[in-house]
Amino acid sequence: MRDVAAAGASTGPRVLPRNDPRQYDDLAGEWWRPDGAFAMLHWLAEARAALVPPATRPGALLVDLGCGAGLLAPHLAGKGYRHVGVDLTRSALVQAAEHGVRVVQGDATAVPLPDGCADVVSAGELLEHVPAWPRAVAEACRLLRPGGVLVLDTLNDTALARLVAVRIAERLPTVPRGIHDPRLFVDARALVAECARHGVDLRLRGIRPQVRGMLAWLLRRARASRTVGAVPAGRAPRIVPTRSTAVLYQGRGVRKG
């Protein structure tokens, strides 16, 4: 796996700080590789989409904050939403548009969309990348119409999360090196309280990759590194609930009104 501290061949290596958005340009070719550097984002997108209810009205809008290259799109097929994706990274938005997402380049803390426009807001693997995450939460809640649904997943601000998601995960082909700044991880209780301030009753549950599926995936990756030619693709690991929210957690809430 390529270290995200290395830039494209045309400019030579560059050292980037943790959580630097330019890393996504360096890894632009990885978004849609099922076993690539963003593989876990595919698994999480499928799990997040399972929390999205079918649209209840014609023209229903889902706003996908931090949409990246549109990995949520395949899992929304048939649910009846217009899918609008918001992201800072132009190279990712180009790919999202190719997968049917209506794209808007913008900051999750100042979204250029009107109040109450969205039936659903998704904020997947976003908040732990935002230095002022309460502002992103305020924007997500602002965009929701009364009765609208907020779905999200993020990393908890705990010592265990820092150990698992940074020290361990960044040594495996599941998380690009330097992609997270652990100082930005999001305390679960603070997130619930912030959503409540904006009229959204957020319910949380811990999630993790299924152990057997994860081990099989890592084995396929190890075999691929030693094999010339294509390696048959296997089933992607499923994201499953777990009792603890201490590392990775998922949330769903409804805006009052």
Side-chain angles (χ1 to χ4, degrees), residues 4-7 14-24 26 178:
V4 297
R14 59 178 175 178
V15 177
L16 297 175
R18 281 191 169 273
N19 195 51
D20 192 305
R22 290 173 293 177
Q23 296 176 42
Y24 297 99
D26 292 347

Side-chain angles (χ1 to χ4, degrees), residues 166-246:
V166 178
R167 294 192 179 184
I168 295 175
E170 290 190 7
R171 289 175 169 81
L172 300 172
T174 52
V175 178
R177 294 181 185 177
I179 207 72
H180 291 119
D181 182 344
R183 295 173 297 179
L184 302 181
F185 288 1
V186 181
D187 180 82
R189 288 172 295 183
L191 177 58
V192 170
E194 191 65 26
C195 287
R197 286 185 60 236
H198 298 283
V200 173
D201 180 17
L202 190 70
R203 305 297 176 92
L204 303 181
R205 67 177 182 179
I207 53 174
R208 61 169 174 78
Q210 183 188 34
V211 174
R212 183 178 296 179
M214 183 70 175
L215 291 175
W217 183 83
L218 289 170
L219 182 59
R220 288 201 308 274
R221 285 294 304 257
R223 286 174 176 170
S225 68
R226 300 192 301 268
T227 303
V228 177
V231 174
R235 181 179 176 83
R238 290 188 302 112
I239 298 294
V240 296
T242 185
R243 291 183 180 180
S244 175
T245 60

Side-chain angles (χ1 to χ4, degrees), residues 26-51:
D26 292 347
L27 290 166
E30 295 290 309
W31 279 109
W32 286 96
R33 290 184 58 221
D35 285 348
F38 292 135
M40 192 167 179
L41 296 186
H42 287 256
W43 316 338
L44 287 165
E46 182 177 11
R48 191 181 322 120
L51 300 181

Side-chain angles (χ1 to χ4, degrees), residues 155-159 161-162 182-188 245-247 249:
L155 288 160
N156 208 341
D157 184 17
T158 64
R162 292 187 282 275
R183 295 173 297 179
L184 302 181
F185 288 1
V186 181
D187 180 82
T245 60
V247 179
Y249 63 94

Side-chain angles (χ1 to χ4, degrees), residues 46-243:
E46 182 177 11
R48 191 181 322 120
L51 300 181
V52 176
T56 57
R57 65 188 186 98
L61 177 66
L62 182 146
V63 176
D64 189 358
L65 299 180
C67 68
L71 303 186
L72 192 62
H75 307 294
L76 297 175
K79 291 201 172 188
Y81 292 98
R82 293 178 294 133
H83 184 181
V84 172
V86 180
D87 205 285
L88 282 172
T89 306
R90 184 176 293 277
S91 60
L93 290 175
V94 168
Q95 296 181 60
E98 292 171 352
H99 287 83
V101 182
R102 302 181 186 185
V103 299
V104 176
Q105 188 171 23
D107 192 318
T109 64
V111 181
L113 294 172
D115 295 359
C117 65
D119 297 81
V120 176
V121 172
S122 169
E125 295 303 293
L126 166 71
L127 298 179
E128 73 271 23
H129 295 285
V130 180
W133 68 259
R135 289 175 55 190
V137 168
E139 283 292 89
C141 297
R142 176 186 68 80
L143 294 171
L144 282 174
R145 64 196 298 262
V149 176
L150 173 64
V151 296
L152 57 84
D153 39 75
T154 191
L155 288 160
N156 208 341
D157 184 17
T158 64
L160 184 59
R162 292 187 282 275
L163 172 65
V164 172
V166 178
R167 294 192 179 184
I168 295 175
E170 290 190 7
R171 289 175 169 81
L172 300 172
T174 52
V175 178
R177 294 181 185 177
I179 207 72
H180 291 119
D181 182 344
R183 295 173 297 179
L184 302 181
F185 288 1
V186 181
D187 180 82
R189 288 172 295 183
L191 177 58
V192 170
E194 191 65 26
C195 287
R197 286 185 60 236
H198 298 283
V200 173
D201 180 17
L202 190 70
R203 305 297 176 92
L204 303 181
R205 67 177 182 179
I207 53 174
R208 61 169 174 78
Q210 183 188 34
V211 174
R212 183 178 296 179
M214 183 70 175
L215 291 175
W217 183 83
L218 289 170
L219 182 59
R220 288 201 308 274
R221 285 294 304 257
R223 286 174 176 170
S225 68
R226 300 192 301 268
T227 303
V228 177
V231 174
R235 181 179 176 83
R238 290 188 302 112
I239 298 294
V240 296
T242 185
R243 291 183 180 180

